[in-house]
């Protein structure tokens, strides 16, 4: 008797590793409704459909229940039909419950892709809470990770951003970050599954500069193939490996920054940071500590840019009596008496001196 197709086996193994910590001893809970529930975020594409099939196979063998959430962003004509087909595919695999959630996507400052991601994650978090899920599985692959690193590199991001998508964050888990997109496509073919092909993922090289084509699609369809032609076929693996290495560095630097911030606060309280303590830090640690302090003071994390941190850093390294530094959200940071004072928006605040 032969085993499953190698691609199917790889996807199942990846899911099994990711869910091992949730497994019920002995492989079965006392009652079906007592089994921990994992949800698969399924769009109907090859990645998430292969993930759904693997989860449907693996979860019961670990004593887990498995369901799915299909998010309809409503951005394309016929999106409701695509969502309904994805939900039916999940049910046919044995996943239960399967929920379809329609979300409203507001472009705003994030742009359509970022806004869709924000709306999707909010919907997944809400449904996971309602279902009391132990985990939500996302179908991002190594190729997605490589695209993410390139996009962030083009924006001049630091190590935290270039570390790419984490394997785990809260309830979210990405079992397939070590697998290529070709593997999920082969797994679907071997299982007789017909994934939905998102037309927005297509990018003709002739339209490489067309803003009407989603940026990630242009990276996927134009930039990565071009890099592969010039540098060789190992570019996605190398970019994903870079993300892994930078994540380790980022975690180490974050711990140092937290410790440094604690030391600076111990001298002067949460809203006052000792300049002498901060001045003695390595720049990379000091700037991370400052960013943590700015966010803790009420500045929106997504709005605190590198320039804000640099301006506050100059209050330490290039002090010549300059005035307060304005922060996103309306707060300010000023230096007085050897302290950096973080003043939230709702508070008045002393003048610098």
């Amino acid at each position: 008797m032969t085993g499953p197709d190698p691609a199917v086996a790889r996807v199942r193994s990846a899911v099994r590793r990711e869910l091992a910590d949730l497994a019920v001893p002995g492989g079965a809970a006392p009652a079906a409704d007592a089994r921990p529930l994992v949800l698969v975020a399924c769009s109907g594409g090859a990645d998430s459909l292969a993930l759904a099939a693997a989860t449907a196979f693996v979860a019961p063998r670990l004593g887990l229940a498995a369901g799915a959430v299909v998010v309809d962003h409503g951005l394309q004509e016929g999106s409701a039909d695509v969502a309904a087909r994805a939900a039916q595919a999940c049910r046919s695999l044995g996943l239960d419950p399967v929920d379809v959630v329609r979300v409203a996507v507001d472009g705003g400052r994030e742009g359509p892709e970022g806004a869709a991601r924000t709306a999707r994650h909010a919907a997944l978090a809400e449904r996971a809470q309602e279902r009391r899920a132990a985990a939500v599985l996302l179908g991002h692959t190594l190729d997605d990770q490589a695209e993410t690193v390139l996009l962030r590199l083009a924006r001049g991001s630091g190590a935290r951003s270039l570390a790419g998508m984490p394997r785990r964050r809260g309830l979210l888990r990405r079992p397939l970050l070590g697998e290529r997109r070709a593997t999920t496509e082969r797994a679907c073919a071997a299982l007789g599954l017909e994934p939905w092909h998102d037309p927005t993922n297509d990018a003709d090289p002739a339209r490489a500069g067309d803003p009407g084509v989603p940026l990630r699609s242009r990276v996927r369809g134009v930039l990565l193939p071009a890099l592969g032609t010039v540098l060789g076929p190992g570019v996605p693996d190398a970019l994903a490996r870079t993300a892994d290495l930078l994540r380790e560095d980022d975690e180490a630097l974050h711990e140092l920054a937290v410790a440094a911030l604690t030391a600076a606060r111990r001298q002067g309280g949460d809203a006052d940071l000792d300049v002498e303590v901060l001045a003695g830090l390595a720049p990379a640690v000091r700037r991370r500590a400052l960013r943590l302090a700015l966010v803790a003071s009420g500045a929106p994390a997504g709005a605190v840019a590198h320039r804000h941190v640099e301006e506050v850093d100059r209050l330490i390294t290039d002090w010549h009596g300059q005035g307060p530094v304005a922060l996103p959200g309306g707060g300010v940071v000023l230096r007085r008496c050897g302290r950096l004072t973080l003043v939230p928006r709702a508070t008045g605040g002393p003048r610098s001196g």
Side-chain angles (χ1 to χ4, degrees):
M1 182 176 179
T2 60
D5 181 273
V8 174
R10 286 186 66 90
V11 177
R12 288 176 179 175
S13 294
V15 171
R16 187 177 294 107
R17 287 192 299 271
E18 195 59 50
L19 297 182
D21 63 312
L22 299 176
V24 176
D33 58 1
R35 293 180 297 170
L37 173 66
V38 296
L39 296 173
V40 178
C42 185
S43 67
D47 300 338
S48 62
L49 198 56
L51 177 61
T55 305
F57 179 86
V58 169
R61 290 162 173 77
L62 298 178
L64 306 173
V69 180
V70 180
V71 178
D72 175 11
H73 301 88
L75 295 176
Q76 300 178 38
E77 185 177 351
S79 65
D81 292 335
V82 172
R85 287 197 297 272
Q88 182 54 42
C90 289
R91 295 187 185 101
S92 69
L93 290 168
L95 296 177
D96 182 37
V98 176
D99 299 322
V100 177
V101 182
R102 179 74 178 251
V103 297
V105 177
D106 179 11
R109 188 177 61 186
E110 293 179 293
E113 294 176 72
R117 180 175 58 253
T118 297
R120 179 170 62 254
H121 282 202
L124 293 172
E126 181 179 353
R127 195 49 52 101
Q129 183 177 22
E130 291 174 359
R131 293 291 188 182
R132 299 182 179 179
V136 177
L137 307 185
L138 305 179
H140 295 118
T141 65
L142 184 148
D143 296 84
D144 294 305
Q145 185 75 295
E147 294 159 10
T148 297
V149 172
L150 276 178
L151 285 166
R152 295 179 179 179
L153 182 63
R155 292 199 294 264
S157 302
R160 170 167 296 181
S161 214
L162 293 178
M165 297 177 287
R167 187 171 295 277
R168 293 187 183 185
R169 177 173 290 164
L171 289 179
L172 300 180
R173 302 188 180 196
R174 298 178 170 92
L176 305 183
L177 272 186
E179 301 297 332
R180 298 297 305 270
R181 186 173 293 129
T183 300
T184 65
E185 293 170 348
R186 287 197 300 268
C188 286
L191 293 169
L193 301 173
E194 296 184 9
W196 171 65
H197 177 71
D198 185 351
T200 65
N201 286 336
D202 294 329
D204 185 334
R207 300 183 65 194
D210 186 350
V213 178
L215 183 56
R216 182 175 287 270
S217 298
R218 285 179 274 161
V219 169
R220 178 177 302 176
V222 180
L223 181 55
L224 271 172
L227 287 174
T229 299
V230 175
L231 301 176
V235 171
D237 297 270
L239 289 169
R241 185 165 59 252
T242 295
D244 289 339
L245 294 171
L246 286 172
R247 189 172 302 108
E248 293 178 358
D249 293 347
D250 176 68
E251 290 170 356
L253 286 169
H254 178 75
E255 290 179 7
L256 292 173
V258 169
L261 188 57
T262 300
R265 283 173 170 164
R266 192 161 52 234
Q267 303 276 349
D270 284 354
D272 292 301
L273 306 178
D274 189 277
V275 168
E276 185 176 352
V277 171
L278 294 170
L281 301 172
V285 177
R286 182 176 61 248
R287 290 173 181 171
R288 284 167 178 266
L290 289 175
R291 189 181 193 284
L292 290 173
L294 299 183
V295 173
S297 74
V304 177
H306 180 65
R307 64 180 179 83
H308 298 118
V309 177
E310 278 193 324
E311 289 175 11
V312 175
D313 193 42
R314 279 196 287 272
L315 294 178
I316 302 168
T317 62
D318 187 24
W319 171 246
H320 49 269
Q322 61 263 46
V325 173
L327 300 176
V332 298
V333 180
L334 51 87
R335 173 170 171 163
R336 59 175 186 152
C337 303
R339 297 282 192 272
L340 288 188
T341 299
L342 288 71
V343 184
R345 178 180 183 179
T347 305
R351 294 183 177 275
S352 59

